[in-house]
Amino acid sequence: ITASAACAEDRITCRDDAIIVFDSSGSMSEPAGSGTTRMDLARRAAHQVIPLAAQSRNLGLVIYGPGDNARCQKVSLEVAPKANAAEEILKAIDETKSEGETPLTSAVDAAAAALDYTRKPAVIVLLTDGDENCGRYPCQLAHQLKAAAHKLTVHVIAFRLQRRSFRALSCLSRENGGLLLPANTMEELSEALTQTLTCSQTTAELTPVRENIVRSMFPSAPHSLCGETRADQRAQCRRP
């Protein structure tokens, strides 16, 4: 394959159907400085990037977290992937409440199903400020998605997460050809959403970025960063 053909393929990838998996758990109400909350910053970043992303691809939204009862079951497909979805997606993000737990594995699973990922190219962008805490294992799902996918990319935006939390989440992105992007500010969130949802950069240009981020976070870690917790080991989180 020629360099020009590879670049063209990357441009096509940035137009594949995509779903944003958006964290609306209780921790998103925590202060983020200057009288703002984590949710405030996430909403501002979404308003900056989603209108642009929706111009070039079918876009959808899954929200997890809000709800008082059966807190680990609160995963909702708010917007199925479709053209010109920015207004509907932003309305759902603006109206969601910061409540409940973090069933992020089930949310990513639901997004993959909504994207018909076993038959079509698809992209999932997970924005989370917390670990999975509802009994499922991200690494186990990562392997399942990779095995069944037609062509699936999973990006993870780790918002204000502690460093120890990155390992388990990195399994989702690394096993499925995506980026793991830490973000602590609204500007970094906007940049991460831009990199993962728009055509501003190609996949080829971003791959070195991902590798540099991973190396800087885990300078002495083995190449596979599938997870180090006992839960991940039980979930067959394997090293090559």
Side-chain angles (χ1 to χ4, degrees):
I1 185 170
T2 66
S4 60
C7 188
E9 183 178 352
D10 291 332
R11 291 296 180 187
I12 293 171
T13 298
C14 79
R15 299 184 187 277
D16 292 341
D17 289 2
I19 284 182
I20 303 160
V21 177
F22 190 87
D23 185 348
S24 188
S25 62
S27 58
M28 288 291 281
S29 64
E30 293 183 6
S34 301
T36 64
T37 65
R38 294 180 178 186
M39 180 63 79
D40 292 332
L41 300 188
R43 284 175 174 147
R44 292 175 189 175
H47 275 267
Q48 284 192 357
V49 179
I50 288 174
L52 176 62
Q55 292 177 14
S56 60
R57 72 193 325 160
N58 292 333
L59 198 60
L61 175 69
V62 167
I63 289 179
Y64 67 86
D68 295 326
N69 299 319
R71 293 162 67 90
C72 279
Q73 305 301 316
K74 297 300 182 179
V75 174
S76 175
L77 176 63
E78 295 289 331
V79 182
K82 63 181 181 180
N84 302 312
E87 184 176 352
E88 191 173 349
I89 289 172
L90 291 174
K91 183 176 185 291
I93 289 174
D94 286 344
E95 292 179 353
T96 188
K97 297 179 181 179
S98 301
E99 299 175 336
E101 305 299 336
T102 307
L104 67 84
T105 307
S106 293
V108 171
D109 202 0
L115 286 162
D116 197 11
Y117 80 106
T118 61
R119 298 175 55 199
K120 301 190 301 183
V123 174
I124 295 172
V125 178
L126 168 64
L127 191 164
T128 183
D129 79 334
D131 295 322
E132 165 69 45
N133 63 2
C134 286
R136 293 191 65 183
Y137 305 129
C139 281
Q140 185 177 54
L141 177 65
H143 300 318
Q144 292 170 350
L145 294 178
K146 181 179 180 180
H150 173 71
K151 182 184 177 185
L152 177 67
T153 303
V154 180
H155 301 298
V156 177
I157 301 174
F159 182 37
R160 297 200 162 208
L161 273 173
Q162 295 184 12
R163 181 168 169 168
R164 59 182 169 78
S165 301
F166 292 163
R167 286 185 179 272
L169 288 177
S170 74
C171 196
L172 282 169
S173 56
R174 193 171 189 91
E175 291 294 304
N176 292 282
L179 302 169
L180 170 63
L181 299 173
N184 291 303
T185 66
M186 192 275 289
E187 291 76 16
E188 289 171 352
L189 270 181
S190 295
E191 176 65 18
L193 288 170
T194 298
Q195 289 184 1
T196 54
L197 285 173
T198 75
C199 293
S200 63
Q201 290 180 304
T202 66
T203 303
E205 291 167 340
L206 286 173
T207 298
V209 175
R210 178 184 68 175
E211 295 304 323
N212 288 338
I213 290 170
V214 170
R215 279 197 292 268
S216 67
M217 289 190 299
F218 308 113
S220 61
H223 184 66
S224 175
L225 297 172
C226 197
E228 66 174 2
T229 67
R230 291 181 181 177
D232 289 332
Q233 293 167 4
R234 289 197 300 270
Q236 301 175 350
C237 188
R238 60 185 183 277
R239 301 176 189 269

